[in-house]
Coordinates of all heavy atoms in Angstrom, one line a residue:
Y133 N -11.7 -12.5 7.4 CA -11.4 -13.6 6.4 C -11.7 -13.2 5.0 O -11.0 -13.5 4.0 CB -12.1 -15.0 6.8 CG -11.8 -16.1 5.8 CD1 -10.5 -16.6 5.7 CD2 -12.7 -16.5 4.9 CE1 -10.2 -17.6 4.9 CE2 -12.4 -17.5 4.1 CZ -11.2 -18.1 4.0 OH -10.9 -19.2 3.2
K134 N -12.9 -12.5 4.9 CA -13.2 -12.0 3.6 C -12.2 -10.9 3.0 O -11.9 -10.9 1.9 CB -14.6 -11.3 3.7 CG -15.7 -12.2 4.0 CD -16.1 -13.2 2.8 CE -17.4 -14.0 3.2 NZ -17.7 -14.9 2.0
L135 N -11.7 -10.2 4.0 CA -10.6 -9.2 3.6 C -9.4 -10.0 3.1 O -8.8 -9.6 2.1 CB -10.2 -8.3 4.8 CG -9.1 -7.3 4.7 CD1 -9.4 -6.4 3.5 CD2 -8.7 -6.7 5.9
R136 N -9.1 -11.0 3.7 CA -7.9 -11.8 3.4 C -8.1 -12.2 1.9 O -7.1 -12.2 1.0 CB -7.7 -13.0 4.3 CG -6.6 -13.9 3.9 CD -6.6 -15.1 4.8 NE -5.5 -16.0 4.4 CZ -4.3 -16.1 4.9 NH1 -3.9 -15.2 5.9 NH2 -3.4 -16.9 4.5
M137 N -9.2 -12.8 1.5 CA -9.5 -13.3 0.2 C -9.5 -12.1 -0.8 O -9.0 -12.2 -1.9 CB -11.0 -13.9 0.1 CG -11.1 -15.2 1.0 SD -12.7 -15.7 1.1 CE -13.0 -16.3 -0.5
A138 N -10.0 -10.9 -0.4 CA -10.1 -9.8 -1.3 C -8.7 -9.2 -1.6 O -8.3 -8.8 -2.6 CB -10.9 -8.7 -0.7
I139 N -7.7 -9.4 -0.6 CA -6.4 -9.0 -0.7 C -5.7 -9.6 -1.9 O -5.0 -9.2 -2.7 CB -5.5 -9.0 0.6 CG1 -6.0 -8.1 1.6 CG2 -4.0 -8.9 0.3 CD1 -5.4 -8.3 3.0
F140 N -5.9 -11.0 -1.9 CA -5.2 -11.8 -3.0 C -5.8 -11.3 -4.4 O -5.1 -11.1 -5.3 CB -5.5 -13.3 -2.8 CG -4.8 -14.1 -3.8 CD1 -3.5 -14.6 -3.5 CD2 -5.4 -14.4 -5.1 CE1 -2.8 -15.4 -4.3 CE2 -4.7 -15.2 -5.9 CZ -3.5 -15.7 -5.7
D141 N -7.2 -11.1 -4.4 CA -7.8 -10.7 -5.6 C -7.3 -9.4 -6.2 O -7.1 -9.1 -7.3 CB -9.3 -10.7 -5.6 CG -9.9 -12.0 -5.5 OD1 -9.2 -13.0 -6.0 OD2 -11.0 -12.1 -5.0
L142 N -7.0 -8.5 -5.1 CA -6.5 -7.1 -5.5 C -5.1 -7.1 -6.0 O -4.8 -6.3 -6.9 CB -6.6 -6.2 -4.1 CG -6.4 -4.8 -4.3 CD1 -7.5 -4.2 -5.3 CD2 -6.6 -4.1 -2.8
F143 N -4.2 -8.0 -5.5 CA -2.8 -7.9 -5.8 C -2.4 -9.1 -6.7 O -1.1 -9.3 -6.9 CB -1.9 -7.7 -4.6 CG -2.2 -6.5 -3.9 CD1 -3.0 -6.5 -2.7 CD2 -1.6 -5.3 -4.3 CE1 -3.3 -5.2 -2.1 CE2 -1.7 -4.1 -3.7 CZ -2.7 -4.0 -2.6
K144 N -3.2 -9.9 -7.1 CA -2.8 -11.1 -8.0 C -2.4 -10.7 -9.3 O -2.8 -9.6 -9.9 CB -4.0 -12.0 -8.0 CG -5.1 -11.7 -8.9 CD -6.3 -12.6 -8.9 CE -7.5 -12.2 -9.6 NZ -8.6 -13.2 -9.5
E145 N -1.5 -11.4 -9.9 CA -0.9 -11.3 -11.2 C -1.3 -12.4 -12.1 O -1.5 -13.5 -11.6 CB 0.5 -10.9 -11.1 CG 1.0 -9.6 -10.3 CD 2.4 -9.5 -10.3 OE1 3.2 -10.4 -10.8 OE2 2.8 -8.5 -9.7
S146 N -1.2 -12.2 -13.4 CA -1.3 -13.3 -14.3 C -0.3 -14.3 -14.1 O 0.8 -14.1 -13.6 CB -1.3 -12.7 -15.7 OG -2.4 -11.7 -15.9
P147 N -0.6 -15.6 -14.5 CA 0.3 -16.7 -14.4 C 1.6 -16.4 -15.1 O 1.6 -15.8 -16.1 CB -0.4 -17.9 -15.1 CG -1.9 -17.5 -15.0 CD -1.9 -16.0 -15.1
K148 N 2.8 -16.8 -14.5 CA 4.0 -16.6 -15.0 C 4.3 -17.6 -16.1 O 5.3 -17.2 -16.9 CB 5.1 -16.7 -14.0 CG 4.9 -15.7 -12.8 CD 5.1 -14.2 -13.3 CE 4.9 -13.2 -12.2 NZ 4.9 -11.9 -12.7
Q149 N 3.7 -18.6 -16.2 CA 3.8 -19.7 -17.2 C 2.4 -20.0 -17.8 O 1.4 -19.9 -17.1 CB 4.5 -20.8 -16.6 CG 5.9 -20.7 -16.0 CD 6.5 -21.9 -15.4 OE1 5.8 -23.0 -15.2 NE2 7.8 -21.8 -15.1
P150 N 2.4 -20.5 -19.1 CA 1.2 -20.9 -19.6 C 0.4 -21.9 -18.8 O 1.0 -22.8 -18.3 CB 1.6 -21.5 -21.0 CG 2.9 -20.8 -21.3 CD 3.6 -20.6 -20.0
K151 N -0.9 -21.6 -18.6 CA -1.8 -22.5 -17.7 C -1.3 -22.6 -16.2 O -1.7 -23.5 -15.6 CB -1.9 -23.8 -18.4 CG -2.4 -23.9 -19.8 CD -2.6 -25.2 -20.3 CE -3.2 -25.1 -21.7 NZ -3.3 -26.6 -22.3
G152 N -0.4 -21.7 -15.9 CA 0.1 -21.7 -14.5 C -1.0 -21.0 -13.6 O -1.9 -20.3 -14.0
P153 N -0.8 -21.1 -12.2 CA -1.7 -20.5 -11.4 C -1.5 -19.0 -11.2 O -0.3 -18.5 -11.5 CB -1.4 -21.2 -10.0 CG 0.0 -21.5 -10.2 CD 0.3 -21.9 -11.6
E154 N -2.5 -18.2 -10.9 CA -2.4 -16.8 -10.6 C -1.5 -16.7 -9.3 O -1.5 -17.6 -8.4 CB -3.6 -16.2 -10.4 CG -4.5 -16.2 -11.6 CD -5.9 -15.6 -11.4 OE1 -6.5 -15.7 -10.2 OE2 -6.3 -14.8 -12.2
V155 N -0.7 -15.6 -9.2 CA 0.3 -15.5 -8.1 C 0.0 -14.1 -7.5 O -0.4 -13.1 -8.1 CB 1.7 -15.6 -8.5 CG1 1.9 -17.1 -9.0 CG2 2.0 -14.7 -9.7
L156 N 0.5 -14.0 -6.3 CA 0.4 -12.7 -5.5 C 1.9 -12.1 -5.3 O 2.8 -12.8 -4.9 CB -0.2 -13.0 -4.1 CG -0.1 -11.7 -3.2 CD1 -1.2 -10.9 -3.4 CD2 -0.3 -12.2 -1.7
D157 N 2.1 -10.9 -5.7 CA 3.3 -10.1 -5.4 C 3.2 -9.7 -4.0 O 2.6 -8.6 -3.7 CB 3.4 -8.9 -6.4 CG 4.7 -8.0 -6.2 OD1 5.3 -8.2 -5.1 OD2 5.0 -7.4 -7.0
Y158 N 3.8 -10.4 -3.1 CA 3.7 -10.2 -1.6 C 4.3 -8.9 -1.1 O 3.8 -8.3 -0.2 CB 3.9 -11.4 -0.8 CG 5.3 -12.0 -0.9 CD1 6.4 -11.4 -0.3 CD2 5.5 -13.0 -1.7 CE1 7.7 -11.9 -0.4 CE2 6.7 -13.6 -1.9 CZ 7.8 -13.1 -1.2 OH 9.2 -13.7 -1.4
V159 N 5.4 -8.5 -1.7 CA 6.1 -7.3 -1.3 C 5.2 -6.1 -1.6 O 4.9 -5.2 -0.8 CB 7.5 -7.1 -1.9 CG1 8.1 -5.8 -1.6 CG2 8.4 -8.3 -1.3
T160 N 4.7 -6.0 -2.8 CA 3.9 -4.9 -3.2 C 2.6 -4.8 -2.4 O 2.2 -3.7 -2.0 CB 3.4 -5.0 -4.7 OG1 4.6 -4.9 -5.6 CG2 2.5 -4.0 -5.1
M161 N 2.1 -6.0 -2.1 CA 0.8 -6.1 -1.2 C 1.1 -5.5 0.2 O 0.5 -4.6 0.7 CB 0.4 -7.5 -1.1 CG -0.9 -7.6 -0.2 SD -0.6 -7.9 1.6 CE 0.0 -9.6 1.6
L162 N 2.2 -5.9 0.8 CA 2.7 -5.5 2.2 C 2.9 -3.9 2.2 O 2.5 -3.3 3.1 CB 3.8 -6.3 2.7 CG 3.5 -7.7 3.0 CD1 4.8 -8.4 3.4 CD2 2.5 -7.9 4.1
L163 N 3.5 -3.4 1.0 CA 3.7 -2.1 1.0 C 2.5 -1.2 1.0 O 2.4 -0.1 1.6 CB 4.5 -1.7 -0.2 CG 6.1 -2.1 -0.4 CD1 6.6 -1.8 -1.7 CD2 6.8 -1.4 0.8
H164 N 1.4 -1.7 0.4 CA 0.2 -0.9 0.3 C -0.5 -0.9 1.8 O -1.2 -0.1 2.0 CB -0.7 -1.6 -0.6 CG -0.6 -1.2 -2.1 ND1 0.4 -1.7 -2.8 CD2 -1.2 -0.3 -2.8 CE1 0.4 -1.2 -3.9 NE2 -0.6 -0.3 -4.0
F165 N -0.1 -1.8 2.6 CA -0.7 -1.8 3.9 C 0.3 -1.1 5.1 O 0.0 -1.4 6.2 CB -1.0 -3.2 4.3 CG -2.3 -3.8 3.8 CD1 -2.2 -4.4 2.6 CD2 -3.5 -3.5 4.3 CE1 -3.4 -4.8 1.9 CE2 -4.7 -4.0 3.6 CZ -4.5 -4.6 2.4
C166 N 1.2 -0.4 4.6 CA 2.1 0.4 5.4 C 1.6 1.7 5.7 O 2.2 2.5 6.6 CB 3.5 0.6 4.8 SG 4.5 -1.0 4.7
V167 N 0.4 2.1 5.3 CA -0.2 3.5 5.5 C -0.4 3.7 7.0 O -0.6 2.8 7.7 CB -1.5 3.6 4.7 CG1 -1.3 3.6 3.2 CG2 -2.5 2.5 5.1
D168 N -0.2 5.0 7.4 CA -0.2 5.4 8.7 C -0.7 6.8 8.7 O -0.7 7.5 7.8 CB 1.1 5.3 9.3 CG 1.1 5.5 10.9 OD1 1.0 6.6 11.3 OD2 1.3 4.4 11.5
L169 N -1.4 7.2 9.9 CA -1.9 8.6 10.1 C -0.8 9.6 9.8 O -1.0 10.7 9.3 CB -2.6 8.8 11.4 CG -3.9 8.1 11.6 CD1 -4.3 8.1 13.0 CD2 -4.9 8.5 10.7
D170 N 0.4 9.2 10.2 CA 1.6 10.0 10.0 C 2.3 9.4 8.8 O 2.9 8.2 8.8 CB 2.6 9.9 11.2 CG 3.9 10.8 11.0 OD1 4.2 11.1 9.8 OD2 4.4 11.1 12.0
P171 N 2.3 10.1 7.5 CA 2.9 9.5 6.4 C 4.4 9.1 6.6 O 4.8 8.2 5.8 CB 2.5 10.5 5.4 CG 2.4 11.8 6.1 CD 1.8 11.4 7.4
V172 N 5.1 9.9 7.3 CA 6.6 9.5 7.5 C 6.7 8.3 8.2 O 7.7 7.5 7.8 CB 7.2 10.8 8.2 CG1 8.6 10.4 8.5 CG2 7.1 12.0 7.5
L173 N 5.9 8.0 9.2 CA 5.9 6.8 9.9 C 5.6 5.6 9.0 O 6.1 4.4 8.9 CB 5.1 6.7 11.1 CG 5.5 7.6 12.3 CD1 4.5 7.5 13.5 CD2 7.0 7.4 12.7
G174 N 4.5 5.9 8.1 CA 4.1 4.9 7.0 C 5.3 4.6 6.1 O 5.6 3.5 5.7
F175 N 6.1 5.7 5.8 CA 7.2 5.5 4.9 C 8.3 4.6 5.6 O 8.8 3.7 4.9 CB 7.8 6.8 4.6 CG 8.9 6.9 3.5 CD1 8.7 7.2 2.3 CD2 10.2 6.5 3.9 CE1 9.6 7.1 1.2 CE2 11.1 6.4 2.9 CZ 10.9 6.8 1.6
V176 N 8.6 4.8 6.8 CA 9.6 3.9 7.6 C 9.0 2.5 7.6 O 9.9 1.6 7.4 CB 9.7 4.5 9.0 CG1 10.6 3.5 9.7 CG2 10.3 5.8 9.0
K177 N 7.8 2.2 7.8 CA 7.2 0.8 7.7 C 7.6 0.3 6.3 O 8.0 -0.8 6.1 CB 5.7 0.9 7.9 CG 5.3 1.1 9.2 CD 3.8 0.9 9.3 CE 3.1 1.5 10.5 NZ 1.6 1.4 10.4
A178 N 7.2 1.1 5.2 CA 7.5 0.7 3.9 C 9.0 0.4 3.6 O 9.3 -0.7 2.9 CB 6.9 1.6 2.9
L179 N 9.9 1.2 4.2 CA 11.3 1.0 3.9 C 11.7 -0.2 4.7 O 12.6 -0.9 4.1 CB 12.0 2.2 4.4 CG 13.5 2.4 4.0 CD1 13.7 2.5 2.5 CD2 14.1 3.6 4.7
S180 N 11.1 -0.6 5.7 CA 11.5 -1.8 6.4 C 11.1 -3.0 5.6 O 11.8 -4.0 5.6 CB 10.8 -1.9 7.9 OG 9.5 -2.1 7.7
V181 N 9.9 -3.0 5.0 CA 9.5 -4.1 4.1 C 10.3 -4.2 2.9 O 10.8 -5.3 2.6 CB 8.0 -3.9 3.7 CG1 7.6 -4.9 2.6 CG2 7.1 -3.9 4.9
A182 N 10.7 -3.2 2.3 CA 11.5 -3.0 1.1 C 12.9 -3.6 1.4 O 13.6 -4.3 0.5 CB 11.6 -1.7 0.4
T183 N 13.5 -3.4 2.5 CA 14.9 -3.8 2.9 C 14.8 -5.2 3.7 O 15.8 -5.8 3.7 CB 15.6 -2.6 3.8 OG1 14.7 -2.6 5.0 CG2 15.6 -1.4 3.1
G184 N 13.7 -5.5 4.2 CA 13.6 -6.6 5.1 C 14.2 -6.6 6.4 O 14.6 -7.5 7.0
S185 N 14.4 -5.3 6.8 CA 15.1 -5.0 8.1 C 14.3 -4.0 8.9 O 13.5 -3.2 8.4 CB 16.5 -4.4 7.9 OG 17.3 -5.2 7.0

Side-chain angles (χ1 to χ4, degrees):
Y133 182 68
K134 295 291 186 182
L135 174 64
R136 178 187 178 92
M137 297 172 64
I139 289 174
F140 187 90
D141 286 337
L142 191 57
F143 295 100
K144 68 183 178 183
E145 298 180 355
S146 301
K148 299 300 180 182
Q149 299 177 350
K151 297 183 179 180
E154 294 176 322
V155 294
L156 172 81
D157 180 343
Y158 54 84
V159 171
T160 297
M161 180 272 287
L162 291 175
L163 288 174
H164 277 77
F165 283 91
C166 290
V167 290
D168 193 283
L169 289 174
D170 182 341
V172 176
L173 296 183
F175 189 98
V176 173
K177 290 184 196 178
L179 196 58
S180 72
V181 170
T183 61
S185 303

